[in-house]
PDB file of all heavy atoms in Angstrom:
ATOM      1  N   ASP A  23     -12.092  11.648   2.873  1.00  0.00           N
ATOM      2  CA  ASP A  23     -12.159  11.481   4.329  1.00  0.00           C
ATOM      3  C   ASP A  23     -13.093  10.307   4.651  1.00  0.00           C
ATOM      4  O   ASP A  23     -14.316  10.443   4.257  1.00  0.00           O
ATOM      5  CB  ASP A  23     -12.634  12.831   4.930  1.00  0.00           C
ATOM      6  CG  ASP A  23     -12.698  12.853   6.433  1.00  0.00           C
ATOM      7  OD1 ASP A  23     -12.559  11.747   7.097  1.00  0.00           O
ATOM      8  OD2 ASP A  23     -12.858  13.929   6.988  1.00  0.00           O
ATOM      9  N   VAL A  24     -12.663   9.278   5.298  1.00  0.00           N
ATOM     10  CA  VAL A  24     -13.526   8.146   5.529  1.00  0.00           C
ATOM     11  C   VAL A  24     -13.994   8.106   7.034  1.00  0.00           C
ATOM     12  O   VAL A  24     -14.518   7.132   7.457  1.00  0.00           O
ATOM     13  CB  VAL A  24     -12.822   6.844   5.197  1.00  0.00           C
ATOM     14  CG1 VAL A  24     -12.574   6.735   3.681  1.00  0.00           C
ATOM     15  CG2 VAL A  24     -11.551   6.568   5.916  1.00  0.00           C
ATOM     16  N   ARG A  25     -13.867   9.281   7.706  1.00  0.00           N
ATOM     17  CA  ARG A  25     -14.331   9.405   9.053  1.00  0.00           C
ATOM     18  C   ARG A  25     -15.883   9.585   9.040  1.00  0.00           C
ATOM     19  O   ARG A  25     -16.444   9.740   7.978  1.00  0.00           O
ATOM     20  CB  ARG A  25     -13.694  10.544   9.774  1.00  0.00           C
ATOM     21  CG  ARG A  25     -12.173  10.390   9.971  1.00  0.00           C
ATOM     22  CD  ARG A  25     -11.512  11.613  10.564  1.00  0.00           C
ATOM     23  NE  ARG A  25     -11.839  12.814   9.815  1.00  0.00           N
ATOM     24  CZ  ARG A  25     -11.995  14.001  10.292  1.00  0.00           C
ATOM     25  NH1 ARG A  25     -11.839  14.243  11.616  1.00  0.00           N
ATOM     26  NH2 ARG A  25     -12.208  15.007   9.484  1.00  0.00           N
ATOM     27  N   GLU A  26     -16.457   9.561  10.170  1.00  0.00           N
ATOM     28  CA  GLU A  26     -17.888   9.807  10.328  1.00  0.00           C
ATOM     29  C   GLU A  26     -18.223  11.277  10.192  1.00  0.00           C
ATOM     30  O   GLU A  26     -17.357  12.123  10.547  1.00  0.00           O
ATOM     31  CB  GLU A  26     -18.386   9.234  11.658  1.00  0.00           C
ATOM     32  CG  GLU A  26     -18.269   7.732  11.771  1.00  0.00           C
ATOM     33  CD  GLU A  26     -19.140   7.078  10.675  1.00  0.00           C
ATOM     34  OE1 GLU A  26     -20.324   7.430  10.489  1.00  0.00           O
ATOM     35  OE2 GLU A  26     -18.657   6.136  10.033  1.00  0.00           O
ATOM     36  N   PRO A  27     -19.420  11.646   9.812  1.00  0.00           N
ATOM     37  CA  PRO A  27     -19.779  13.063   9.654  1.00  0.00           C
ATOM     38  C   PRO A  27     -19.522  13.861  10.920  1.00  0.00           C
ATOM     39  O   PRO A  27     -19.100  14.957  10.905  1.00  0.00           O
ATOM     40  CB  PRO A  27     -21.263  13.090   9.265  1.00  0.00           C
ATOM     41  CG  PRO A  27     -21.453  11.755   8.573  1.00  0.00           C
ATOM     42  CD  PRO A  27     -20.495  10.722   9.307  1.00  0.00           C
ATOM     43  N   SER A  28     -19.767  13.246  12.095  1.00  0.00           N
ATOM     44  CA  SER A  28     -19.580  14.004  13.377  1.00  0.00           C
ATOM     45  C   SER A  28     -18.121  14.294  13.586  1.00  0.00           C
ATOM     46  O   SER A  28     -17.777  15.354  14.130  1.00  0.00           O
ATOM     47  CB  SER A  28     -20.091  13.163  14.507  1.00  0.00           C
ATOM     48  OG  SER A  28     -19.477  11.901  14.577  1.00  0.00           O
ATOM     49  N   GLU A  29     -17.161  13.442  13.123  1.00  0.00           N
ATOM     50  CA  GLU A  29     -15.766  13.735  13.223  1.00  0.00           C
ATOM     51  C   GLU A  29     -15.336  14.819  12.253  1.00  0.00           C
ATOM     52  O   GLU A  29     -14.609  15.727  12.613  1.00  0.00           O
ATOM     53  CB  GLU A  29     -14.986  12.434  12.937  1.00  0.00           C
ATOM     54  CG  GLU A  29     -15.126  11.296  13.886  1.00  0.00           C
ATOM     55  CD  GLU A  29     -14.416  10.051  13.450  1.00  0.00           C
ATOM     56  OE1 GLU A  29     -14.916   9.408  12.511  1.00  0.00           O
ATOM     57  OE2 GLU A  29     -13.358   9.804  13.976  1.00  0.00           O
ATOM     58  N   ASN A  30     -15.900  14.781  11.077  1.00  0.00           N
ATOM     59  CA  ASN A  30     -15.590  15.761  10.023  1.00  0.00           C
ATOM     60  C   ASN A  30     -16.109  17.108  10.492  1.00  0.00           C
ATOM     61  O   ASN A  30     -15.492  18.181  10.198  1.00  0.00           O
ATOM     62  CB  ASN A  30     -16.224  15.339   8.695  1.00  0.00           C
ATOM     63  CG  ASN A  30     -15.869  16.250   7.587  1.00  0.00           C
ATOM     64  OD1 ASN A  30     -16.620  17.252   7.322  1.00  0.00           O
ATOM     65  ND2 ASN A  30     -14.847  15.965   6.911  1.00  0.00           N
ATOM     66  N   ASP A  31     -17.204  17.187  11.215  1.00  0.00           N
ATOM     67  CA  ASP A  31     -17.716  18.442  11.664  1.00  0.00           C
ATOM     68  C   ASP A  31     -16.794  19.103  12.671  1.00  0.00           C
ATOM     69  O   ASP A  31     -16.766  20.334  12.747  1.00  0.00           O
ATOM     70  CB  ASP A  31     -19.121  18.249  12.341  1.00  0.00           C
ATOM     71  CG  ASP A  31     -20.184  17.906  11.364  1.00  0.00           C
ATOM     72  OD1 ASP A  31     -20.035  18.105  10.150  1.00  0.00           O
ATOM     73  OD2 ASP A  31     -21.284  17.472  11.838  1.00  0.00           O
ATOM     74  N   ILE A  32     -16.050  18.334  13.421  1.00  0.00           N
ATOM     75  CA  ILE A  32     -15.124  18.821  14.476  1.00  0.00           C
ATOM     76  C   ILE A  32     -13.920  19.506  13.801  1.00  0.00           C
ATOM     77  O   ILE A  32     -13.491  20.563  14.150  1.00  0.00           O
ATOM     78  CB  ILE A  32     -14.840  17.732  15.424  1.00  0.00           C
ATOM     79  CG1 ILE A  32     -16.093  17.395  16.245  1.00  0.00           C
ATOM     80  CG2 ILE A  32     -13.680  18.218  16.364  1.00  0.00           C
ATOM     81  CD1 ILE A  32     -15.948  16.078  17.061  1.00  0.00           C
ATOM     82  N   CYS A  33     -13.319  18.782  12.881  1.00  0.00           N
ATOM     83  CA  CYS A  33     -12.147  19.218  12.185  1.00  0.00           C
ATOM     84  C   CYS A  33     -12.017  18.600  10.862  1.00  0.00           C
ATOM     85  O   CYS A  33     -12.371  17.369  10.716  1.00  0.00           O
ATOM     86  CB  CYS A  33     -10.845  19.093  13.017  1.00  0.00           C
ATOM     87  SG  CYS A  33     -10.384  17.446  13.475  1.00  0.00           S
ATOM     88  N   THR A  34     -11.609  19.350   9.835  1.00  0.00           N
ATOM     89  CA  THR A  34     -11.629  18.730   8.505  1.00  0.00           C
ATOM     90  C   THR A  34     -10.444  19.272   7.710  1.00  0.00           C
ATOM     91  O   THR A  34      -9.929  20.330   7.908  1.00  0.00           O
ATOM     92  CB  THR A  34     -12.931  19.079   7.795  1.00  0.00           C
ATOM     93  OG1 THR A  34     -12.987  18.446   6.521  1.00  0.00           O
ATOM     94  CG2 THR A  34     -13.123  20.552   7.631  1.00  0.00           C
ATOM     95  N   LEU A  35      -9.980  18.452   6.710  1.00  0.00           N
ATOM     96  CA  LEU A  35      -9.037  18.864   5.752  1.00  0.00           C
ATOM     97  C   LEU A  35      -9.748  19.222   4.416  1.00  0.00           C
ATOM     98  O   LEU A  35      -9.081  19.358   3.401  1.00  0.00           O
ATOM     99  CB  LEU A  35      -7.945  17.778   5.513  1.00  0.00           C
ATOM    100  CG  LEU A  35      -7.218  17.298   6.753  1.00  0.00           C
ATOM    101  CD1 LEU A  35      -6.211  16.176   6.398  1.00  0.00           C
ATOM    102  CD2 LEU A  35      -6.459  18.497   7.347  1.00  0.00           C
ATOM    103  N   LEU A  39     -16.151  13.741   1.885  1.00  0.00           N
ATOM    104  CA  LEU A  39     -16.517  12.836   3.032  1.00  0.00           C
ATOM    105  C   LEU A  39     -17.285  11.633   2.454  1.00  0.00           C
ATOM    106  O   LEU A  39     -18.398  11.751   1.904  1.00  0.00           O
ATOM    107  CB  LEU A  39     -17.414  13.579   4.008  1.00  0.00           C
ATOM    108  CG  LEU A  39     -17.803  12.808   5.209  1.00  0.00           C
ATOM    109  CD1 LEU A  39     -16.619  12.340   6.081  1.00  0.00           C
ATOM    110  CD2 LEU A  39     -18.773  13.580   6.040  1.00  0.00           C
ATOM    111  N   ILE A  40     -16.674  10.465   2.596  1.00  0.00           N
ATOM    112  CA  ILE A  40     -17.336   9.194   2.260  1.00  0.00           C
ATOM    113  C   ILE A  40     -17.022   8.221   3.493  1.00  0.00           C
ATOM    114  O   ILE A  40     -15.997   7.576   3.547  1.00  0.00           O
ATOM    115  CB  ILE A  40     -16.741   8.525   0.979  1.00  0.00           C
ATOM    116  CG1 ILE A  40     -16.861   9.520  -0.167  1.00  0.00           C
ATOM    117  CG2 ILE A  40     -17.509   7.210   0.676  1.00  0.00           C
ATOM    118  CD1 ILE A  40     -16.228   8.962  -1.514  1.00  0.00           C
ATOM    119  N   PRO A  41     -17.917   8.252   4.497  1.00  0.00           N
ATOM    120  CA  PRO A  41     -17.691   7.412   5.662  1.00  0.00           C
ATOM    121  C   PRO A  41     -17.345   6.008   5.299  1.00  0.00           C
ATOM    122  O   PRO A  41     -17.879   5.464   4.310  1.00  0.00           O
ATOM    123  CB  PRO A  41     -18.958   7.568   6.482  1.00  0.00           C
ATOM    124  CG  PRO A  41     -19.520   8.865   6.062  1.00  0.00           C
ATOM    125  CD  PRO A  41     -19.144   9.002   4.588  1.00  0.00           C
ATOM    126  N   MET A  42     -16.437   5.441   6.108  1.00  0.00           N
ATOM    127  CA  MET A  42     -16.012   4.054   5.756  1.00  0.00           C
ATOM    128  C   MET A  42     -17.137   3.033   5.494  1.00  0.00           C
ATOM    129  O   MET A  42     -17.020   2.308   4.482  1.00  0.00           O
ATOM    130  CB  MET A  42     -15.131   3.532   6.959  1.00  0.00           C
ATOM    131  CG  MET A  42     -14.539   2.162   6.763  1.00  0.00           C
ATOM    132  SD  MET A  42     -13.429   1.575   7.997  1.00  0.00           S
ATOM    133  CE  MET A  42     -14.611   1.201   9.290  1.00  0.00           C
ATOM    134  N   HIS A  61      -7.917   9.536   4.022  1.00  0.00           N
ATOM    135  CA  HIS A  61      -7.490   9.778   5.407  1.00  0.00           C
ATOM    136  C   HIS A  61      -8.625   9.446   6.379  1.00  0.00           C
ATOM    137  O   HIS A  61      -9.824   9.441   6.027  1.00  0.00           O
ATOM    138  CB  HIS A  61      -6.921  11.183   5.560  1.00  0.00           C
ATOM    139  CG  HIS A  61      -7.938  12.228   5.832  1.00  0.00           C
ATOM    140  ND1 HIS A  61      -8.354  12.483   7.128  1.00  0.00           N
ATOM    141  CD2 HIS A  61      -8.582  13.045   5.041  1.00  0.00           C
ATOM    142  CE1 HIS A  61      -9.208  13.452   7.070  1.00  0.00           C
ATOM    143  NE2 HIS A  61      -9.399  13.829   5.781  1.00  0.00           N
ATOM    144  N   CYS A  62      -8.241   9.267   7.644  1.00  0.00           N
ATOM    145  CA  CYS A  62      -9.176   9.159   8.726  1.00  0.00           C
ATOM    146  C   CYS A  62      -8.584   9.780   9.963  1.00  0.00           C
ATOM    147  O   CYS A  62      -7.700  10.769   9.835  1.00  0.00           O
ATOM    148  CB  CYS A  62      -9.498   7.638   8.957  1.00  0.00           C
ATOM    149  SG  CYS A  62      -8.052   6.648   9.504  1.00  0.00           S
ATOM    150  N   HIS A  63      -8.849   9.353  11.118  1.00  0.00           N
ATOM    151  CA  HIS A  63      -8.402   9.975  12.363  1.00  0.00           C
ATOM    152  C   HIS A  63      -6.908   9.626  12.641  1.00  0.00           C
ATOM    153  O   HIS A  63      -6.115  10.465  12.867  1.00  0.00           O
ATOM    154  CB  HIS A  63      -9.292   9.488  13.544  1.00  0.00           C
ATOM    155  CG  HIS A  63      -8.970  10.193  14.822  1.00  0.00           C
ATOM    156  ND1 HIS A  63      -9.252  11.509  15.056  1.00  0.00           N
ATOM    157  CD2 HIS A  63      -8.469   9.705  15.987  1.00  0.00           C
ATOM    158  CE1 HIS A  63      -8.937  11.847  16.249  1.00  0.00           C
ATOM    159  NE2 HIS A  63      -8.429  10.806  16.829  1.00  0.00           N
ATOM    160  N   SER A  64      -6.571   8.298  12.469  1.00  0.00           N
ATOM    161  CA  SER A  64      -5.210   7.863  12.762  1.00  0.00           C
ATOM    162  C   SER A  64      -4.465   7.087  11.614  1.00  0.00           C
ATOM    163  O   SER A  64      -3.350   6.864  11.687  1.00  0.00           O
ATOM    164  CB  SER A  64      -5.240   6.955  14.027  1.00  0.00           C
ATOM    165  OG  SER A  64      -5.841   5.760  13.668  1.00  0.00           O
ATOM    166  N   ARG A  67      -8.402   3.189   9.652  1.00  0.00           N
ATOM    167  CA  ARG A  67      -9.609   2.997   8.785  1.00  0.00           C
ATOM    168  C   ARG A  67      -9.334   3.282   7.336  1.00  0.00           C
ATOM    169  O   ARG A  67      -9.745   2.496   6.452  1.00  0.00           O
ATOM    170  CB  ARG A  67     -10.781   3.985   9.267  1.00  0.00           C
ATOM    171  CG  ARG A  67     -11.468   3.447  10.543  1.00  0.00           C
ATOM    172  CD  ARG A  67     -12.571   4.493  10.904  1.00  0.00           C
ATOM    173  NE  ARG A  67     -11.956   5.557  11.677  1.00  0.00           N
ATOM    174  CZ  ARG A  67     -12.595   6.641  12.103  1.00  0.00           C
ATOM    175  NH1 ARG A  67     -13.877   6.737  11.861  1.00  0.00           N
ATOM    176  NH2 ARG A  67     -12.007   7.546  12.732  1.00  0.00           N
ATOM    177  N   ILE A  91      -5.495  12.421  10.546  1.00  0.00           N
ATOM    178  CA  ILE A  91      -5.596  13.881  10.912  1.00  0.00           C
ATOM    179  C   ILE A  91      -4.843  14.149  12.227  1.00  0.00           C
ATOM    180  O   ILE A  91      -4.448  15.320  12.448  1.00  0.00           O
ATOM    181  CB  ILE A  91      -7.154  14.316  11.004  1.00  0.00           C
ATOM    182  CG1 ILE A  91      -7.233  15.790  10.842  1.00  0.00           C
ATOM    183  CG2 ILE A  91      -7.773  13.769  12.264  1.00  0.00           C
ATOM    184  CD1 ILE A  91      -8.606  16.273  10.449  1.00  0.00           C
ATOM    185  N   ILE A 109     -13.071  14.461  19.557  1.00  0.00           N
ATOM    186  CA  ILE A 109     -13.428  13.266  18.732  1.00  0.00           C
ATOM    187  C   ILE A 109     -13.383  12.010  19.631  1.00  0.00           C
ATOM    188  O   ILE A 109     -12.546  11.817  20.401  1.00  0.00           O
ATOM    189  CB  ILE A 109     -12.461  13.108  17.522  1.00  0.00           C
ATOM    190  CG1 ILE A 109     -12.614  14.280  16.603  1.00  0.00           C
ATOM    191  CG2 ILE A 109     -12.674  11.827  16.814  1.00  0.00           C
ATOM    192  CD1 ILE A 109     -11.549  14.306  15.471  1.00  0.00           C
TER     193      ILE A 109
END
Side-chain angles (χ1 to χ4, degrees):
D23 184 346
V24 297
R25 298 175 302 149
E26 293 300 312
S28 59
E29 294 174 284
N30 184 270
D31 289 345
I32 294 168
C33 60
T34 183
L35 299 180
L39 181 62
I40 305 177
M42 183 175 71
H61 86 86
C62 63
H63 189 68
S64 68
R67 282 179 280 178
I91 203 159
I109 296 174

